[in-house]
Amino acid sequence: MSIISKDIAKAIALLKADKIVAIPTETVYGLAGNIFSEKAIKSIFETKKRPFFNPLIVHIPSADALENIVSHVPEKARLLAKAFWPGSMTLVLKKQATIPDLITAGKDTVAVRVPNHPLTLELLEQLPFPLAAPSANPFSSISPTKPEHVENYFKNDIDMVLDGGACTNGIESTIIGFENDEPIIYRLGALALEDIEAVVGQITIKNKKEQSPDAPGMLDKHYAPLTQTYLTSNVSEEVKNHAGKRIGLLVFKDDLNDNAITTQIILSPKGDMAEAASKLYDAMHDLDHQNLDVIIAERFPDFGLGKSINDRLQRAAFNS
Ligand code: TXA
Ligand code: MG
């Protein structure tokens, strides 16, 4: 029997009983549990096979709930919350003493967001506690953007996927931390950098080498298909490097007419980066299940959501 269900009362009952439930958000599906239940939080880490040093995002029903979670809100954090919540932005702020160490991996900061999905907002409003939710995928694999993706990963491990349909944004939230009250991007994501800068001015992106202490989840290889993946600006050249293999192509807007290719997915024929982002992970799941030898992904223009998409493709293609 399928574990996918729209029964919100059942989700509430499970969560109140220290169980974990996969929940829809506008970015990706999350694997959710009561932030105050040690049992639920441990089972999130175990189910995902996620190392305990990688902290979780706390999901709250509205910005009003922020003061229960964090101890200090810089002015620019306030502006960002007003501009983008509910939405695809996570803020990393100094935590309240009541937030368990298991959630924050022992750090004195906590990641928080108000997701923008009607079902999950209703769930959060009805529950007496916030929900910790990492993306609902095994550690380092492709994030789920449809209930079926979660079911494929975890049908033997969890009781329920709350069915909220396909995620409209399709890549994870943009994570913003603060140093001396100034915002810094820890993870590029579903909000375009330019939109954030329109609210708080120019903003630094923490580079990979410096990232580890503040953004411990930002491993190089992540969001990765099992099929060997290559990222390129010149698709037809890269195809020649894999002659004789079963090749799956993942392109932005233009198809490639080449018999050497087994299959290809065009993310947005009309060239819309938001549409491409929303379909990216579903396309990666799809190609990964086609028994291909290689996936060749086309690099996106390096602005707007293209920057975030390139970040994910880079990690999918990372070799080590
Ligand atoms: O869109 C999203 O953000 C989704 C949905 C479900 O909300 N969640 C998500 O969670 O992507 P996850 O756990 O896959 O990624 C959260 C990232 C991790 O890389 C983690 O290291 C970082 O947030 N993070 C969490 N708490 C942090 C903290 N206190 N300081 C720095 N980074 C933190
Ligand atoms: Mg994740």
Side-chain angles (χ1 to χ4, degrees):
M1 208 183 78
S2 174
I3 57 168
I4 300 171
S5 157
K6 291 188 197 306
D7 187 350
I8 195 162
K10 181 178 170 191
I12 288 171
L14 286 166
L15 289 162
K16 284 184 172 170
D18 300 316
K19 301 278 206 243
I20 59 176
V21 172
I23 57 166
T25 83
E26 82 284 20
T27 60
V28 301
Y29 274 73
L31 199 56
N34 173 1
I35 66 162
F36 299 115
S37 163
E38 190 176 316
K39 185 171 166 223
I41 302 308
K42 282 195 169 150
S43 99
I44 290 175
F45 280 98
E46 275 157 25
T47 304
K48 268 186 74 87
K49 307 219 170 0
R50 177 174 175 128
F52 283 103
F53 63 75
N54 196 346
L56 305 179
I57 297 176
V58 172
H59 295 70
I60 55 176
S62 76
D64 298 336
L66 188 60
E67 63 197 60
N68 304 324
I69 311 291
V70 309
S71 58
H72 169 62
V73 185
E75 188 48 38
K76 286 187 178 173
R78 229 174 269 287
L79 289 174
L80 287 166
K82 208 169 153 51
F84 298 117
W85 279 351
S88 308
M89 176 189 69
T90 295
L91 296 178
V92 175
L93 298 167
K94 286 272 178 288
K95 77 178 192 84
Q96 289 276 6
T98 48
I99 304 302
D101 281 343
L102 207 49
I103 301 287
T104 64
K107 294 160 65 62
D108 65 352
T109 54
V110 60
V112 198
R113 96 176 175 101
V114 182
N116 190 15
H117 190 290
L119 263 189
T120 289
L121 283 173
E122 189 184 333
L123 186 67
L124 288 167
E125 271 151 24
Q126 292 196 33
L127 286 168
F129 45 77
L131 292 174
S135 53
N137 51 284
F139 186 58
S140 88
S141 52
I142 309 165
S143 297
T145 54
K146 290 182 170 170
E148 294 77 18
H149 298 155
V150 185
E151 186 173 54
N152 284 339
Y153 282 141
F154 296 129
K155 56 177 165 295
N156 300 320
D157 308 306
I158 65 174
D159 297 303
M160 180 178 175
V161 181
L162 181 60
D163 183 0
C167 302
T168 50
N169 290 357
I171 58 176
E172 295 81 356
S173 61
T174 302
I175 302 182
I176 305 178
F178 289 82
E179 283 173 21
N180 302 318
D181 285 356
E182 284 300 314
I184 294 177
I185 304 271
Y186 285 170
R187 176 177 75 182
L188 291 165
L191 276 190
L193 188 62
E194 293 83 346
D195 293 342
I196 297 164
E197 292 188 326
V199 176
V200 290
Q202 211 189 8
I203 185 164
T204 315
I205 304 174
K206 198 119 184 153
N207 79 37
K208 279 195 193 143
K209 292 284 170 288
E210 305 168 324
Q211 243 170 18
S212 41
D214 293 317
M218 308 299 148
L219 304 177
D220 289 335
K221 188 177 177 73
H222 216 133
Y223 317 106
L226 297 174
T227 313
Q228 183 74 57
T229 300
Y230 297 85
L231 177 60
T232 178
S233 301
N234 189 336
V235 171
S236 51
E237 273 305 307
E238 189 63 37
V239 167
K240 287 187 195 141
N241 294 337
H242 303 277
K245 293 190 181 154
R246 286 176 54 84
I247 300 172
L249 209 57
L250 185 59
V251 294
F252 177 23
K253 55 183 168 38
D254 301 314
D255 67 327
L256 186 73
N257 195 351
D258 187 331
N259 289 333
I261 297 164
T262 304
T263 183
Q264 70 180 312
I265 297 180
I266 305 160
L267 289 169
S268 174
K270 61 174 191 274
D272 174 354
M273 293 211 268
E275 182 185 25
S278 75
K279 295 189 173 158
L280 178 68
Y281 289 150
D282 188 43
M284 280 162 60
H285 281 280
D286 183 351
L287 292 174
D288 210 20
H289 288 111
Q290 292 197 40
N291 205 11
L292 299 163
D293 298 317
V294 295
I295 296 170
I296 296 174
E298 181 180 28
R299 193 182 290 283
F300 272 64
D302 199 40
F303 61 87
L305 288 178
K307 241 184 165 44
S308 306
I309 293 172
N310 285 338
D311 172 86
R312 300 306 191 267
L313 289 174
Q314 193 106 44
R315 293 173 205 265
F318 189 81
N319 279 303
S320 80

